[in-house]
Amino acid sequence: MRAISVASATLLAATALTLAAPTASAAVADDTETNNNITSFGFRVTPSTIAAGGQVTLSVDGCEGDAKVTSGVFDDAHIPAGQQSVSTQVFPDAKPGAMYEVTFDCKGETGTTDLTIATGRPTSHPTSHPTSHPTGPAHRGVKAGVGGSLGGFDLHEIALGGALIVGTLGTAYYWTRRRTGDGKS
């Protein structure tokens, strides 16, 4: 009789955990759907990780017109029609370890990618590109991380999930103890 009550409690706990899981996976699915970055043209930043003050190459493939590339970490760049790439210098005061969003615009269609600033400084500074930049606010801010393993969840979701688990385990314990008490009489 004891084995049946333990099996019932285990099944109840497993059911509660299963019912709590769709909420978490739905939150992750919403993030991936909004970050859908499919365009009719290809684009890339090479290298994708660079030291502050370093030089990156901005490239587009399949863009029939002029392309404009913007970011908060370098001056706006222009890739003329018929040309596939242009080089630009990252601001020397870019924050090491930060991730900046780079936006490519081809005839009104946009796509984004990330550029990470590595620690350290480049060994040489190119002289063909200016090292100063406007003192106004950045076009796009730093794209920060999502906080490790808790990314995508807020405190309300975590508290609700914890309350469901504790409630389920408490109910299972209560019914297990109650059944055990009935058999002793």
Side-chain angles (χ1 to χ4, degrees), residues 64-141:
E64 299 298 324
D66 293 348
K68 182 179 179 182
V69 186
T70 58
S71 179
V73 73
F74 54 77
D75 290 323
D76 291 355
H78 179 258
I79 304 173
Q83 189 174 333
Q84 291 186 338
S85 65
V86 67
S87 294
T88 190
Q89 184 178 354
V90 173
F91 297 146
D93 61 348
K95 182 179 176 184
M99 187 181 306
Y100 291 87
E101 188 174 79
V102 179
T103 302
F104 289 81
D105 184 338
C106 176
K107 298 190 322 186
E109 182 180 9
T110 61
T112 61
T113 189
D114 294 326
L115 176 62
T116 304
I117 306 302
T119 57
R121 299 280 179 195
T123 55
S124 64
H125 294 282
T127 57
S128 62
H129 298 285
T131 57
S132 64
H133 58 88
T135 57
H139 181 276
R140 300 261 179 157

Side-chain angles (χ1 to χ4, degrees), residues 21-36 146 148-154 157:
T23 303
S25 65
V28 172
D30 287 340
D31 285 345
T32 57
E33 289 171 7
T34 58
N35 289 335
N36 194 357
V146 293
S149 63
L150 296 179
F153 297 108
D154 63 12
E157 290 174 333

